[in-house]
Amino acid sequence: MSHVKSPAASSIWIKDLYVRYSAEEAGWILEDIDLEIGPGELVVLSGYSGTGKSTLLSTINGVASKVFGADIRGLVCVQGENVESMDLGHISRRVGTVLQGAEAQIFNLQVDDEVAFGSENLGLSPAVIAERVRTYCGLMGLSPDQAIEGLSGGQKQRLVIASVLAMEQGILLLDEPLANLDGASAKDLLGFLWDTTRQGRTAILVEHRLDMVLPYATRLLCLENGRIVQDLDQAQAERSYLSLFPGRQNSSRCSTSELFRLAHVEVAHGHAPVLRDLSLTLHAGEQVVILGENGSGKTTLLRTLAGLVRPRSGELWRAPQLREQPLKSVGYVCQNPNYQLFMDTVYKEVDFQSESAENTWAFLDLFGIRHLQERHPLALSEGQKRLVTIAAIAAMRPQVLLLDEPTVGQDHQGLGRLIETLEEMRRRYGTSSVVATHDVRCADVLGDRVLWLEDGTLARDGDHGLVRDYFQRHTAEHQRPVEGQSRL
Amino acid sequence: MFSGIDRPRQPLHPMAGLILSFLTLTLGLALGQPLNLYLFMASLALLYLVAGYGRTMVRVFRLLGVIALVVAGLAYLAGDSVAGSLMTLGRIALVGLSSVPLISVHPTQLSRALTQAGCPRIIALALLITIRFVPVLASEMQRIREAMTIRGVRFHWTNLRHVYRALLLPLVVRLINISDLLALSVETRGFSLSERGTVYKPVRWRLKDALVGMAFAGVIAGALVL
């Protein structure tokens, strides 16, 4: 761990920081923060949803004060200069920020133009920009000539990361950069961050998937109620946190009755096939996890089961009980919770298709969101929104729950609760679940059965052991890379 | 929609395309006789064909041809003379012909050309964002409708409460979120109104642009003499 002692020698130097978004608010979102981060540090920022992690990042890059008009007390310096004395354009020449929500940040039509945008703003020559475009597209597995319109969610996330990395600032702030990234891409990104911080850059990651990032981190900061409560080095962090993973409950209680049967199913987007020759059967009571790289067809498979897309060929059979009330019996929770929220309170949202008020309260309690009942759903944090969406769908008492990346934005507490809730739903109501995820924590606990997709085909179909096989393909991501081995 | 931006090459420099479109329309509208107008358009069609706009012309006239014939036919039936109807037909065709160089310009190329020409980058950026906004809007509406279907909302356009609560409200919230995030992303990637920046792939003028320009000037001179 670096022990820099002055603003000039630090990459980031924070003294007596208090932040709130309005001067009228009684409490502070961040309080009493003293922090020094030096060159060469790769810091992971951890904490439950709503504890101020993103606010800390937006204070460092100046967005909190200059865009949101936050009330900020104390001193924040980047590379020795007070953030308050610089405009955003100048701060962004020192600090690169990967924001959450990749899709909404893209405005170009082709991959190379998007990656080049930041470097164009820096006034670099076309030759240098071309070199950076080539380098960072290669790093993130993108083709520079690719049209953006056809990219999957994970590929768009890679694109946004590449476009920030290409600016090559001294400090990188990454807010949940691994969301929607498959194992190989996550490994490449973390390896790059490791290499680049060895060369003197500084990186701060907000990330809930600690199992993936801790092997690369030099330091772990834990936030709780707006304060830094722990500041650990890598060894301490791994000892403290990897033991917190929710344990797997041995549960293989599926029945023999079939819910879905797919025979040689092919699904296409336009003319391009996404799922090819897919044959499988899903049974009542099963907890199924779908694993696969970005663009392998996980979301399309869920959408096919939900009845949102029709196979171009092959046969999709649904059990009679699913055909009677297809929308109520198959609950689908999509990747972005914002689409599925439309009532003005959390209570009304969960109550919308609930059979009774009693049932609504039961699900508010089950998901631990009773205290949010009067809040507007769209004003919640991303992790809370996701819980509300799942609760609202679950309150319909579907026989099958289809969840697309349910752990994005979920802290350990949220993930633990989600897993317990799904288990409780299966116990109480016999609800089956099919979960598409890149998260080893989620797959490990929820995967009684694992479907492994590759390029739209079912590469493997097996029991929980497949989770280990799948994630061990990327074992290097769990090991600190060898010093001096460049990822580029 | 715009795959393969740099391959194949654009027929002309984006600025040449803009100027050509503008001059074709304004000069064509100034021609008062059907014969002059048709000769002018025939010459330009030949020039556009040579310049590499053949496919775009076919696409435009496949769409516009029917409309032009219907409108001219209606004008004739409404009592217009043959010459008047021909003029109506010619002017609709002129709109189509003048649009050919303009719609052939790729937005990315135009944005680059505008920046190189010293146009404020905010305009070039706004152009790109506006073009990208159309498919984003369509996709957002589709996703919201799907999400509502999943939530059990039986959507009817005639039910204003449904339209407001289940479509308009989430759509507005999403669009505000998207625009906020987009602005933030642009600012945190070093965009500044006060600095010009560089262009990653500069668009260059070619000999073909000059040759087409000279031929176009010849057509204009011919039209003026006639």
Side-chain angles (χ1 to χ4, degrees):
Chain A
M1 191 187 308
S2 168
H3 292 285
V4 288
K5 291 292 176 197
S6 74
S10 311
S11 296
I12 296 162
W13 195 83
I14 297 173
K15 189 76 184 158
D16 296 331
L17 179 70
Y18 289 78
V19 181
R20 59 187 170 187
Y21 283 108
S22 162
E24 280 126 44
E25 283 175 20
W28 298 89
I29 293 169
L30 292 176
E31 50 187 316
D32 197 22
I33 305 279
D34 286 313
L35 182 62
E36 295 177 27
I37 299 174
E41 290 201 71
L42 203 168
V43 179
V44 173
L45 200 54
S46 171
Y48 295 141
S49 292
T51 51
K53 301 184 295 295
S54 297
T55 302
L56 182 56
L57 294 194
S58 61
T59 306
I60 294 168
N61 66 15
V63 167
S65 61
K66 295 169 201 305
V67 177
F68 301 142
D71 178 20
I72 295 179
R73 315 270 167 88
L75 188 59
V76 180
C77 295
V78 292
Q79 294 175 336
E81 198 157 337
N82 188 347
V83 166
E84 288 306 300
S85 67
M86 293 185 279
D87 63 31
L88 264 187
H90 284 95
I91 299 171
S92 63
R93 281 160 171 70
R94 297 162 186 245
V95 182
T97 310
V98 174
L99 305 163
Q100 287 185 41
E103 192 149 359
Q105 300 171 46
I106 298 167
F107 54 88
N108 280 289
L109 307 166
Q110 189 166 299
V111 164
D112 60 348
D113 287 309
E114 191 69 30
V115 177
F117 176 73
S119 301
E120 288 178 325
N121 293 332
L122 296 179
L124 301 176
S125 71
V128 174
I129 298 174
E131 177 59 26
R132 289 191 182 184
V133 167
R134 192 186 60 75
T135 302
Y136 291 100
C137 283
L139 175 75
M140 297 313 296
L142 296 163
S143 165
D145 293 335
Q146 219 169 341
I148 287 169
E149 200 187 12
L151 299 183
S152 73
Q155 288 167 324
K156 284 178 181 163
Q157 177 75 15
R158 290 191 226 161
L159 174 60
V160 167
I161 293 169
S163 64
V164 173
L165 296 182
M167 293 176 72
E168 297 193 347
Q169 299 102 326
I171 299 168
L172 287 169
L173 310 178
L174 303 102
D175 199 349
E176 297 212 33
L178 306 189
N180 302 318
L181 285 195
D182 57 47
S185 307
K187 171 192 159 189
D188 287 342
L189 174 64
L190 291 168
F192 167 78
L193 292 174
W194 170 260
D195 288 337
T196 200
T197 49
R198 293 310 87 217
Q199 290 156 19
R201 291 168 89 184
T202 302
I204 304 181
L205 279 91
V206 169
E207 188 54 62
H208 294 301
R209 291 160 74 177
L210 293 181
D211 56 305
M212 299 190 81
V213 294
L214 281 186
Y216 292 83
T218 57
R219 189 172 168 189
L220 174 71
L221 298 174
C222 303
L223 276 177
E224 203 174 293
N225 297 324
R227 292 171 183 267
I228 295 175
V229 291
Q230 278 186 304
D231 186 347
L232 308 173
D233 66 22
Q234 199 260 350
Q236 292 170 322
E238 284 202 322
R239 274 199 303 276
S240 302
Y241 276 83
L242 294 185
S243 59
L244 288 183
F245 275 64
R248 176 178 156 69
Q249 297 177 31
N250 201 0
S251 52
S252 49
R253 281 169 281 170
C254 65
S255 74
T256 52
S257 71
E258 295 180 354
L259 286 178
F260 295 98
R261 193 169 58 236
L262 287 79
H264 308 291
V265 162
E266 181 172 306
V267 180
H269 286 170
H271 294 297
V274 184
L275 294 178
R276 287 175 292 185
D277 196 25
L278 196 71
S279 298
L280 60 93
T281 305
L282 300 176
H283 300 91
E286 273 188 319
Q287 282 195 325
V288 179
V289 161
I290 307 173
L291 300 175
E293 307 294 282
N294 291 140
S296 60
K298 300 184 295 299
T299 298
T300 303
L301 176 54
L302 288 183
R303 286 165 57 80
T304 306
L305 296 175
L308 293 173
V309 286
R310 288 186 179 185
R312 187 160 71 177
S313 63
E315 187 196 350
L316 169 60
W317 176 89
R318 288 186 183 84
Q321 66 268 31
L322 302 186
R323 290 199 292 263
E324 282 166 17
Q325 283 187 301
L327 294 176
K328 286 198 89 170
S329 55
V330 181
Y332 173 52
V333 181
C334 54
Q335 270 187 32
N336 190 335
N338 291 294
Y339 294 117
Q340 290 183 284
L341 301 171
F342 59 97
M343 300 302 277
D344 54 8
T345 67
V346 167
Y347 177 84
K348 288 182 188 169
E349 202 71 72
V350 178
D351 192 52
F352 181 71
Q353 286 283 337
S354 172
E355 61 190 30
S356 65
E358 195 180 26
N359 184 61
T360 304
W361 289 117
F363 276 90
L364 286 168
D365 286 334
L366 197 58
F367 282 82
I369 51 175
R370 182 186 270 257
H371 65 288
L372 302 173
Q373 57 171 298
E374 292 301 323
R375 297 274 303 275
H376 197 294
L378 293 171
L380 302 175
S381 76
E382 289 301 304
Q384 289 169 330
K385 279 182 200 169
R386 199 170 291 270
L387 277 182
V388 173
T389 313
I390 300 171
I393 298 284
M396 292 161 67
R397 300 265 197 95
Q399 296 187 36
V400 191
L401 203 48
L402 310 173
L403 301 163
D404 199 350
E405 295 285 358
T407 58
V408 172
Q410 296 288 349
D411 52 43
H412 277 270
Q413 194 184 37
L415 175 68
R417 179 174 294 134
L418 182 63
I419 289 162
E420 283 167 18
T421 306
L422 291 177
E423 183 58 29
E424 181 65 15
M425 283 184 66
R426 178 161 67 163
R427 198 177 55 75
R428 275 197 216 170
Y429 313 115
T431 312
S432 312
S433 63
V434 183
V435 181
T437 186
H438 291 300
D439 191 331
V440 65
R441 305 170 303 173
C442 178
D444 186 45
V445 183
L446 294 179
D448 286 351
R449 180 180 171 194
V450 177
L451 305 176
W452 180 337
L453 295 186
E454 269 180 13
D455 294 329
T457 59
L458 186 60
R460 294 176 74 178
D461 178 355
D463 62 12
H464 176 259
L466 268 187
V467 173
R468 191 189 57 230
D469 291 354
Y470 179 81
F471 286 98
Q472 273 185 348
R473 291 200 318 169
H474 309 299
T475 42
E477 75 196 85
H478 299 280
Q479 292 165 6
R480 189 184 290 270
V482 178
E483 203 133 345
Q485 272 186 354
S486 175
R487 305 271 158 176
L488 297 181
Chain B
M1 181 168 53
F2 293 112
S3 56
I5 285 165
D6 297 296
R7 293 188 302 263
R9 260 183 166 181
Q10 298 272 287
L12 292 178
H13 191 282
M15 301 303 273
L18 273 183
I19 295 166
L20 222 56
S21 276
F22 176 73
L23 289 178
T24 303
L25 186 65
T26 48
L27 291 171
L29 287 175
L31 295 172
Q33 295 298 318
L35 181 63
N36 291 353
L37 178 62
Y38 280 94
L39 278 175
F40 177 68
M41 287 199 299
S43 313
L44 283 186
L46 192 64
L47 178 61
Y48 285 177
L49 197 65
V50 173
Y53 290 121
R55 277 188 182 180
T56 316
M57 276 202 295
V58 170
R59 279 208 299 264
V60 167
F61 282 106
R62 209 164 43 193
L63 182 75
L64 208 66
V66 181
I67 297 169
L69 285 171
V70 168
V71 173
L74 287 174
Y76 181 71
L77 290 175
D80 210 347
S81 65
V82 174
S85 301
L86 281 176
M87 205 60 193
T88 305
L89 183 70
R91 284 195 169 139
I92 294 172
L94 178 72
V95 171
L97 189 67
S98 65
S99 72
V100 167
L102 185 67
I103 61 174
S104 301
V105 173
H106 195 282
T108 305
Q109 296 278 48
L110 180 60
S111 155
R112 288 171 184 160
L114 287 172
T115 308
Q116 283 173 255
C119 174
R121 287 195 81 206
I122 188 74
I123 292 176
L125 194 63
L127 175 82
L128 279 177
I129 290 172
T130 307
I131 289 164
R132 178 145 168 81
F133 180 75
V134 177
V136 167
L137 181 67
S139 135
E140 289 296 311
M141 285 184 68
Q142 169 71 14
R143 286 180 190 186
I144 288 167
R145 286 199 61 182
E146 272 184 6
M148 291 308 145
T149 306
I150 295 160
R151 291 288 311 274
V153 179
R154 300 209 176 276
F155 193 88
H156 294 290
W157 285 103
T158 49
N159 186 333
L160 290 180
R161 191 166 172 271
H162 277 177
V163 170
Y164 169 71
R165 186 168 277 290
L167 180 68
L168 203 60
L169 195 64
L171 185 64
V172 168
V173 170
R174 277 296 296 155
L175 293 182
I176 290 171
N177 282 347
I178 287 172
S179 55
D180 276 355
L181 195 56
L182 188 60
L184 208 56
S185 164
V186 166
E187 287 204 81
T188 54
R189 283 196 276 166
F191 181 80
S192 167
L193 288 175
S194 57
E195 292 178 38
R196 273 194 64 187
T198 46
V199 175
Y200 156 54
K201 282 183 181 168
V203 189
R204 304 197 191 287
W205 291 90
R206 290 174 289 162
L207 178 63
K208 185 180 173 186
D209 297 312
L211 292 175
V212 171
M214 283 191 284
F216 187 74
V219 172
I220 292 171
L224 290 174
V225 169
L226 284 171

